[in-house]
Amino acid sequence: MAIITLHEVNRIYRTKEIETHALENVNFSIEKGEFVSIMGPSGCGKSTLLNIIGLLDKPSSGKVTIKDVSSENMSDSKLAQFRNANLGFVFQSFHLINSLNVLDNVEIPLIYRNMKASDRRKMAAAVLERVGLSHRMKHFPSQLSGGQCQRVAIARAIVGNPDIILADEPTGNLDSRMGHEIMEILHKLNKEDGRTIVMVTHNEAQAALTDRIIRFFDGRQVE
């Protein structure tokens, strides 16, 4: 069963001088529980595509359906609620808040839910234990290695128990050993939890270990 479907999606950026086609007539579906890699050269539209799947950006035309829900006519507040409930995001640069400790960073997605502070803390502590960082809960991002920061980012992505994880170059800022550890965590989340994962990557070896590769070139799906 498809959990993500893009139908004739286009994304065009316009200025007074120029019109840029970031995505052109993109059509594909991703099944529930798949681990899919998005690949292509820099500037080919991969991150734009991930932002559209993540409902952070809207297509210029076409239709995006996530879990049988079309985003076409959703208000900004409804989109935010839907993202919070169903999507987890992992970024290349971690996007942690340096003034907050690890536990507080992981709690952030739960603040927007009607939950007791004690329940938020328990859930955040549980996912930090799962990624092997329960001993670092009171540390700040500046006190962590790159790999540890990405573990915190993954914990934050899964704390709200989303069905879909969107990862944009999750190992891009890490050495090979740390990158391997992060990929192991993502594969466990996919195989053990059944989470659907869509990952943008330049790493052919990592992509080869996922269920499927979708390739892009100049905004067009080529494979």
Side-chain angles (χ1 to χ4, degrees), residues 92-94 96 98 102 131-133 135-136 139-153 170 173-175 177-179 181-182:
Q92 178 177 350
S93 299
F94 320 133
L96 302 178
N98 290 324
V102 164
V131 300
L133 283 180
H135 61 300
R136 294 283 198 170
H139 288 76
F140 289 84
S142 61
Q143 298 172 300
L144 305 179
S145 68
Q148 289 170 333
C149 283
Q150 196 60 292
R151 285 172 181 258
V152 176
N173 282 344
L174 307 177
D175 62 32
R177 183 176 65 83
M178 287 294 184
E181 290 181 5
I182 293 304

Short mmCIF file of all heavy atoms in Angstrom, two decimals, residues 92-94 96 98 102 131-133 135-136 139-153 170 173-175 177-179 181-182:
data_model
loop_
_atom_site.label_atom_id
_atom_site.label_comp_id
_atom_site.label_asym_id
_atom_site.label_seq_id
_atom_site.Cartn_x
_atom_site.Cartn_y
_atom_site.Cartn_z
N GLN A 92 21.22 17.10 7.37
CA GLN A 92 22.67 16.95 7.29
C GLN A 92 23.37 17.74 8.40
O GLN A 92 24.33 17.27 9.00
CB GLN A 92 23.18 17.41 5.93
CG GLN A 92 24.69 17.33 5.77
CD GLN A 92 25.16 17.72 4.37
OE1 GLN A 92 24.35 17.88 3.47
NE2 GLN A 92 26.45 17.88 4.20
N SER A 93 22.87 18.95 8.68
CA SER A 93 23.52 19.84 9.66
C SER A 93 22.88 19.75 11.05
O SER A 93 23.05 20.65 11.86
CB SER A 93 23.48 21.29 9.15
OG SER A 93 24.19 21.39 7.93
N PHE A 94 22.12 18.70 11.27
CA PHE A 94 21.54 18.35 12.58
C PHE A 94 20.39 19.27 13.01
O PHE A 94 19.38 18.81 13.53
CB PHE A 94 22.60 18.31 13.69
CG PHE A 94 23.91 17.71 13.29
CD1 PHE A 94 25.10 18.34 13.60
CD2 PHE A 94 23.97 16.51 12.58
CE1 PHE A 94 26.33 17.79 13.24
CE2 PHE A 94 25.19 15.95 12.20
CZ PHE A 94 26.37 16.60 12.53
N LEU A 96 20.11 21.25 15.56
CA LEU A 96 19.85 21.26 17.00
C LEU A 96 19.95 22.69 17.52
O LEU A 96 20.61 23.54 16.93
CB LEU A 96 20.86 20.36 17.72
CG LEU A 96 20.90 18.90 17.28
CD1 LEU A 96 21.98 18.15 18.06
CD2 LEU A 96 19.56 18.23 17.45
N ASN A 98 21.49 25.03 20.08
CA ASN A 98 22.70 24.95 20.91
C ASN A 98 22.47 25.37 22.36
O ASN A 98 23.20 24.94 23.25
CB ASN A 98 23.82 25.79 20.30
CG ASN A 98 24.36 25.17 19.02
OD1 ASN A 98 24.44 23.96 18.91
ND2 ASN A 98 24.72 26.01 18.06
N VAL A 102 20.44 18.13 25.42
CA VAL A 102 20.01 17.04 24.54
C VAL A 102 18.56 16.66 24.79
O VAL A 102 17.75 16.52 23.85
CB VAL A 102 20.94 15.82 24.73
CG1 VAL A 102 20.33 14.56 24.15
CG2 VAL A 102 22.30 16.11 24.09
N VAL A 131 18.85 5.28 21.01
CA VAL A 131 19.96 5.64 20.12
C VAL A 131 21.30 5.68 20.86
O VAL A 131 22.30 6.15 20.34
CB VAL A 131 19.71 6.99 19.40
CG1 VAL A 131 18.45 6.92 18.54
CG2 VAL A 131 19.64 8.16 20.38
N GLY A 132 21.30 5.20 22.10
CA GLY A 132 22.55 5.06 22.85
C GLY A 132 23.08 6.33 23.47
O GLY A 132 24.29 6.46 23.68
N LEU A 133 22.19 7.27 23.81
CA LEU A 133 22.66 8.55 24.36
C LEU A 133 21.99 8.90 25.68
O LEU A 133 21.93 10.07 26.05
CB LEU A 133 22.41 9.68 23.35
CG LEU A 133 23.38 9.76 22.17
CD1 LEU A 133 23.00 10.92 21.27
CD2 LEU A 133 24.82 9.93 22.64
N HIS A 135 23.14 8.59 28.50
CA HIS A 135 24.15 9.17 29.40
C HIS A 135 24.52 10.60 29.02
O HIS A 135 25.32 11.24 29.70
CB HIS A 135 25.41 8.31 29.39
CG HIS A 135 26.07 8.21 28.05
ND1 HIS A 135 25.45 7.69 26.93
CD2 HIS A 135 27.33 8.58 27.65
CE1 HIS A 135 26.28 7.74 25.91
NE2 HIS A 135 27.41 8.27 26.32
N ARG A 136 23.94 11.10 27.93
CA ARG A 136 24.28 12.46 27.45
C ARG A 136 23.09 13.42 27.53
O ARG A 136 23.14 14.50 26.94
CB ARG A 136 24.76 12.39 26.00
CG ARG A 136 26.07 11.64 25.81
CD ARG A 136 27.24 12.51 26.22
NE ARG A 136 28.50 12.02 25.68
CZ ARG A 136 29.63 12.71 25.74
NH1 ARG A 136 29.64 13.89 26.31
NH2 ARG A 136 30.75 12.22 25.25
N HIS A 139 23.84 17.02 28.48
CA HIS A 139 24.88 17.72 27.73
C HIS A 139 24.26 18.62 26.67
O HIS A 139 23.10 18.45 26.28
CB HIS A 139 25.82 16.70 27.07
CG HIS A 139 26.72 16.01 28.03
ND1 HIS A 139 26.29 15.01 28.87
CD2 HIS A 139 28.05 16.16 28.29
CE1 HIS A 139 27.30 14.58 29.60
NE2 HIS A 139 28.38 15.26 29.28
N PHE A 140 25.07 19.55 26.17
CA PHE A 140 24.63 20.46 25.11
C PHE A 140 25.27 20.03 23.78
O PHE A 140 26.31 19.35 23.78
CB PHE A 140 25.02 21.90 25.47
CG PHE A 140 24.22 22.45 26.61
CD1 PHE A 140 24.59 22.19 27.92
CD2 PHE A 140 23.07 23.21 26.37
CE1 PHE A 140 23.84 22.69 28.98
CE2 PHE A 140 22.32 23.70 27.42
CZ PHE A 140 22.70 23.44 28.73
N PRO A 141 24.65 20.41 22.65
CA PRO A 141 25.19 19.99 21.35
C PRO A 141 26.67 20.28 21.16
O PRO A 141 27.39 19.49 20.55
CB PRO A 141 24.33 20.77 20.36
CG PRO A 141 23.01 20.91 21.06
CD PRO A 141 23.36 21.13 22.50
N SER A 142 27.16 21.40 21.71
CA SER A 142 28.57 21.75 21.56
C SER A 142 29.50 20.78 22.27
O SER A 142 30.71 20.76 22.02
CB SER A 142 28.81 23.18 22.08
OG SER A 142 28.49 23.25 23.46
N GLN A 143 28.94 19.97 23.17
CA GLN A 143 29.75 19.00 23.92
C GLN A 143 29.73 17.61 23.28
O GLN A 143 30.30 16.67 23.84
CB GLN A 143 29.23 18.91 25.36
CG GLN A 143 29.33 20.21 26.14
CD GLN A 143 28.64 20.13 27.48
OE1 GLN A 143 27.44 19.89 27.57
NE2 GLN A 143 29.41 20.31 28.55
N LEU A 144 29.08 17.49 22.12
CA LEU A 144 28.92 16.20 21.45
C LEU A 144 29.72 16.13 20.16
O LEU A 144 30.02 17.16 19.55
CB LEU A 144 27.44 15.96 21.13
CG LEU A 144 26.45 16.04 22.28
CD1 LEU A 144 25.04 15.79 21.75
CD2 LEU A 144 26.78 15.06 23.39
N SER A 145 30.02 14.92 19.73
CA SER A 145 30.62 14.72 18.41
C SER A 145 29.54 14.86 17.34
O SER A 145 28.33 14.89 17.63
CB SER A 145 31.24 13.33 18.33
OG SER A 145 30.22 12.34 18.36
N GLY A 146 29.96 14.90 16.08
CA GLY A 146 29.00 14.98 14.99
C GLY A 146 28.06 13.79 14.96
O GLY A 146 26.85 13.94 14.77
N GLY A 147 28.61 12.61 15.16
CA GLY A 147 27.77 11.41 15.16
C GLY A 147 26.76 11.43 16.29
O GLY A 147 25.62 11.01 16.12
N GLN A 148 27.18 11.91 17.47
CA GLN A 148 26.24 12.01 18.59
C GLN A 148 25.16 13.04 18.31
O GLN A 148 23.98 12.82 18.64
CB GLN A 148 27.01 12.36 19.86
CG GLN A 148 27.86 11.21 20.39
CD GLN A 148 28.80 11.64 21.50
OE1 GLN A 148 29.20 12.80 21.59
NE2 GLN A 148 29.17 10.69 22.36
N CYS A 149 25.52 14.15 17.69
CA CYS A 149 24.52 15.16 17.32
C CYS A 149 23.48 14.56 16.37
O CYS A 149 22.28 14.83 16.51
CB CYS A 149 25.18 16.37 16.68
SG CYS A 149 26.00 17.48 17.84
N GLN A 150 23.94 13.73 15.43
CA GLN A 150 22.98 13.13 14.50
C GLN A 150 22.11 12.10 15.20
O GLN A 150 20.94 11.94 14.86
CB GLN A 150 23.72 12.52 13.30
CG GLN A 150 22.82 12.21 12.10
CD GLN A 150 22.13 13.45 11.55
OE1 GLN A 150 21.25 14.04 12.20
NE2 GLN A 150 22.51 13.84 10.34
N ARG A 151 22.64 11.42 16.21
CA ARG A 151 21.81 10.51 17.00
C ARG A 151 20.71 11.28 17.74
O ARG A 151 19.57 10.82 17.83
CB ARG A 151 22.67 9.75 18.02
CG ARG A 151 23.53 8.64 17.41
CD ARG A 151 24.48 8.09 18.46
NE ARG A 151 25.34 7.06 17.91
CZ ARG A 151 25.17 5.76 18.09
NH1 ARG A 151 24.15 5.33 18.82
NH2 ARG A 151 26.01 4.89 17.56
N VAL A 152 21.07 12.44 18.27
CA VAL A 152 20.07 13.30 18.92
C VAL A 152 19.01 13.71 17.91
O VAL A 152 17.80 13.68 18.20
CB VAL A 152 20.73 14.55 19.53
CG1 VAL A 152 19.66 15.47 20.13
CG2 VAL A 152 21.73 14.16 20.61
N ALA A 153 19.44 14.08 16.71
CA ALA A 153 18.49 14.48 15.67
C ALA A 153 17.55 13.34 15.29
O ALA A 153 16.35 13.56 15.06
CB ALA A 153 19.25 14.97 14.44
N PRO A 170 21.87 12.42 5.72
CA PRO A 170 22.07 12.26 7.16
C PRO A 170 23.49 11.92 7.57
O PRO A 170 23.85 12.09 8.74
CB PRO A 170 21.12 11.10 7.51
CG PRO A 170 20.97 10.33 6.24
CD PRO A 170 21.00 11.37 5.16
N ASN A 173 27.87 14.99 6.89
CA ASN A 173 28.86 15.72 7.70
C ASN A 173 29.66 14.80 8.62
O ASN A 173 30.31 15.28 9.55
CB ASN A 173 28.17 16.79 8.55
CG ASN A 173 27.81 18.02 7.73
OD1 ASN A 173 28.31 18.21 6.63
ND2 ASN A 173 26.94 18.85 8.26
N LEU A 174 29.59 13.48 8.38
CA LEU A 174 30.21 12.53 9.29
C LEU A 174 31.31 11.73 8.60
O LEU A 174 31.28 11.54 7.38
CB LEU A 174 29.14 11.56 9.83
CG LEU A 174 27.90 12.19 10.46
CD1 LEU A 174 26.91 11.11 10.86
CD2 LEU A 174 28.28 13.04 11.67
N ASP A 175 32.25 11.23 9.40
CA ASP A 175 33.26 10.33 8.83
C ASP A 175 32.62 8.98 8.57
O ASP A 175 31.48 8.72 8.94
CB ASP A 175 34.48 10.22 9.74
CG ASP A 175 34.18 9.63 11.12
OD1 ASP A 175 33.28 8.78 11.23
OD2 ASP A 175 34.85 10.03 12.09
N ARG A 177 33.02 5.94 9.73
CA ARG A 177 32.61 5.11 10.86
C ARG A 177 31.31 5.62 11.47
O ARG A 177 30.38 4.84 11.73
CB ARG A 177 33.72 5.08 11.93
CG ARG A 177 33.40 4.16 13.11
CD ARG A 177 34.56 4.10 14.09
NE ARG A 177 34.81 5.38 14.72
CZ ARG A 177 34.15 5.83 15.80
NH1 ARG A 177 33.18 5.10 16.33
NH2 ARG A 177 34.45 6.99 16.33
N MET A 178 31.24 6.93 11.70
CA MET A 178 30.03 7.52 12.26
C MET A 178 28.87 7.38 11.28
O MET A 178 27.72 7.13 11.67
CB MET A 178 30.26 8.99 12.60
CG MET A 178 31.12 9.22 13.82
SD MET A 178 30.35 8.64 15.32
CE MET A 178 31.55 9.18 16.53
N GLY A 179 29.18 7.55 10.00
CA GLY A 179 28.14 7.39 8.98
C GLY A 179 27.55 6.00 8.99
O GLY A 179 26.32 5.81 8.86
N GLU A 181 27.38 4.00 11.58
CA GLU A 181 26.55 3.86 12.78
C GLU A 181 25.18 4.50 12.57
O GLU A 181 24.16 3.93 13.00
CB GLU A 181 27.26 4.51 13.98
CG GLU A 181 28.48 3.74 14.45
CD GLU A 181 29.15 4.39 15.65
OE1 GLU A 181 28.59 5.38 16.18
OE2 GLU A 181 30.22 3.91 16.06
N ILE A 182 25.15 5.66 11.94
CA ILE A 182 23.86 6.32 11.70
C ILE A 182 23.01 5.49 10.74
O ILE A 182 21.79 5.33 10.94
CB ILE A 182 24.09 7.74 11.13
CG1 ILE A 182 24.74 8.64 12.18
CG2 ILE A 182 22.77 8.34 10.64
CD1 ILE A 182 23.99 8.75 13.50
#
